[in-house]
Amino acid sequence: MNPGDAESPRGWRGGLAAKWPSIAIVLFAQVTAMAVWFASAAVASALARSAPLLGFKAAMLTSAVQAGFVCGTLASALLGVPDRFDPRRIFMIAALGAAAASAALAMLPPTGPGILALRFLTGLALAGVYPIGMRLVATWAAGDLGLLVGLLVGALTLGSASPHLLAAFGQFDWRTIYLVAAGLAACGGLAILAAGVGPNAPRQIRLDAGRVSQAWRNPALRLANLGYLGHMWELYAMWTWLAVFLAASLRMSGVADAHGLAELTSFAAIAAGALGAWLGGVCADRWGRTTVTIASMAASATCAATMGWLLGAPPALIIAVAIIWGITIIADSAQFSASIAELSDPESVGTMLTLQTCAGFLLTLVSIQLVAPVSAALGWPGAFTMLAIGPALGCIAMVRLRARPEAARLAGGRR
């Protein structure tokens, strides 16, 4: 297909020479646009200081965003939005919408249902950012899909770690956090227009809601999605509760500033996942998607099953295990998306990626909320062992996928 052909991917500018500049723009736009989501933890901390009579739990700020994201991705998948329209325009509109919702938060009192409704709308808008960014990156893949998506996930991992750094060192007014995040999201939404669409983009297709059922009817896609669900069962619950566990453990160890060190360690552990995402992409393109996902989930499940028993252990040991867990828990994430992209029909890749993300984040709403009651009943060993069940089952799904003939389509035949 030549760039000048009538059926060339819309927006393919500059040929392959535009690949890495476009990837860099997408990475920048993704991190800045998603700032409105990642700001939740820092905002929750600031709200607790400025509004002690807050009428709802701070954790609901994040849950509201995730609930909106799930609804948005489900609607997007059913309507086939990622595969029917220019991904850059979808991204821009969604990022600007998320920015507007976040900016409006700074104009409201920090109590009542209004703030939760706006956080829900923020998540709804972000459904047009994260999966659409993955779809856009995938259009540039040429034997390096694992690396490209790994870079994207690595950048987002760094962004998700930033609130812990703010909590460790900073004292910020919650309105300022929302306004800064909104400004960053707006910048990302405008910047994405400078990116090109790669040669793997499909031609515009008609709406076909039946495509959604491929995610379950196709055995290979079903197994890849089940592996992803096992991964997601653990990931966001670990990111949400790690700092709480570390603070409790460090206090038992006699650390003077247990909270500060716990937040700093959480930042280091989650941010280290960026290295894991990059390494996972490099290794998966070289040795296979199922190889990397199985090894990564086995390692993270081991860390999860071990960590709870280390409550009150020497700080150096706790910190080391936390960082290893942070690296291994995300090293496989991008490879599930890459697998879906390689196993799906070309004209359905965007829809399948969006549906996968929707199911994964829906599951996180369950696992995040279960940690508190399980830890109250069985302690931290029981809570974290519960999280280990997800990647353990995910390993089984990927072993089964590896044995299927469709697995030959993964990473150029490297299963």
Side-chain angles (χ1 to χ4, degrees):
M1 181 182 295
N2 296 319
D5 292 346
E7 296 186 353
S8 293
R10 53 194 183 281
W12 186 23
R13 300 196 304 264
L16 294 179
K19 175 177 178 176
W20 288 109
S22 293
I23 295 298
I25 292 170
V26 175
L27 293 178
F28 169 80
Q30 278 275 13
V31 173
T32 53
M34 293 292 281
V36 292
W37 190 334
F38 298 146
S40 294
V43 166
S45 178
L47 281 172
R49 292 191 299 271
S50 62
L53 298 179
L54 201 61
F56 53 87
K57 294 182 179 180
M60 292 183 67
L61 289 169
T62 298
S63 295
V65 179
Q66 292 190 234
F69 184 82
V70 168
C71 292
T73 50
L74 180 60
S76 178
L78 290 174
L79 295 174
V81 170
D83 296 308
R84 297 175 61 210
F85 304 102
D86 187 328
R88 296 163 302 179
R89 297 186 186 279
I90 300 171
F91 191 112
M92 179 194 68
I93 294 170
L96 292 178
S102 293
L105 285 166
M107 313 303 168
L108 294 179
T111 56
I115 196 168
L116 287 178
L118 283 172
R119 292 303 281 163
F120 178 88
L121 290 176
T122 300
L124 196 70
L126 290 176
V129 173
Y130 180 32
I132 297 299
M134 286 194 293
R135 180 67 183 107
L136 189 53
V137 163
T139 66
W140 288 104
D144 56 356
L145 180 60
L147 172 61
L148 296 182
V149 182
L151 288 173
L152 186 70
V153 172
L156 295 176
T157 300
L158 285 174
S160 67
S162 60
H164 293 288
L165 193 61
L166 291 174
F169 293 115
Q171 298 290 327
F172 296 93
D173 179 78
W174 64 273
R175 297 175 182 83
T176 301
I177 294 173
Y178 275 135
L179 289 175
V180 170
L184 289 172
C187 288
L190 296 176
I192 199 67
L193 295 178
V197 179
N200 298 325
R203 290 178 297 169
Q204 191 172 23
I205 63 172
R206 295 181 179 179
L207 174 62
D208 182 2
R211 295 180 188 278
V212 171
S213 64
Q214 292 179 29
W216 186 256
R217 287 190 297 106
N218 184 309
L221 287 175
R222 181 169 65 244
L223 289 170
N225 280 320
L226 288 174
Y228 177 73
L229 291 178
H231 155 75
M232 289 295 283
W233 173 264
E234 177 192 25
L235 177 63
Y236 270 79
M238 180 271 204
W239 279 2
T240 300
W241 289 99
L242 180 61
V244 178
F245 167 80
L246 289 173
S249 180
L250 292 171
R251 280 194 298 268
M252 291 179 63
S253 300
V255 175
D257 184 11
H259 175 76
L261 182 57
E263 292 290 351
L264 188 59
T265 302
S266 296
F267 167 76
I270 298 174
L275 174 63
W278 171 71
L279 286 174
V282 172
C283 293
D285 285 336
R286 181 173 299 178
W287 295 313
R289 308 263 183 258
T290 60
T291 299
V292 167
T293 53
I294 292 169
S296 178
M297 285 191 289
S300 66
T302 300
C303 290
T306 302
M307 181 63 96
W309 297 98
L310 297 178
L311 183 68
L317 177 59
I318 286 283
I319 292 172
V321 175
I323 292 176
I324 294 172
W325 195 7
I327 293 173
T328 57
I329 200 172
I330 199 68
D332 54 343
S333 187
Q335 303 319 308
F336 293 110
S337 301
S339 296
I340 291 297
E342 291 167 331
L343 294 170
S344 300
D345 295 334
E347 65 273 14
S348 302
V349 170
T351 298
M352 292 298 103
L353 285 173
T354 302
L355 193 62
Q356 180 194 55
T357 306
C358 173
F361 277 87
L362 179 61
L363 188 63
T364 66
L365 292 174
V366 178
S367 62
I368 289 173
Q369 298 302 321
L370 278 179
V371 169
V374 173
S375 63
L378 303 176
W380 284 109
F384 282 164
T385 299
M386 175 196 70
L387 296 184
I389 294 173
L393 293 176
C395 285
I396 295 174
M398 298 309 286
V399 167
R400 292 181 60 189
L401 174 59
R402 185 185 183 90
R404 292 193 62 84
E406 296 98 320
R409 295 161 60 182
L410 299 173
R414 294 176 287 278
R415 301 181 182 216

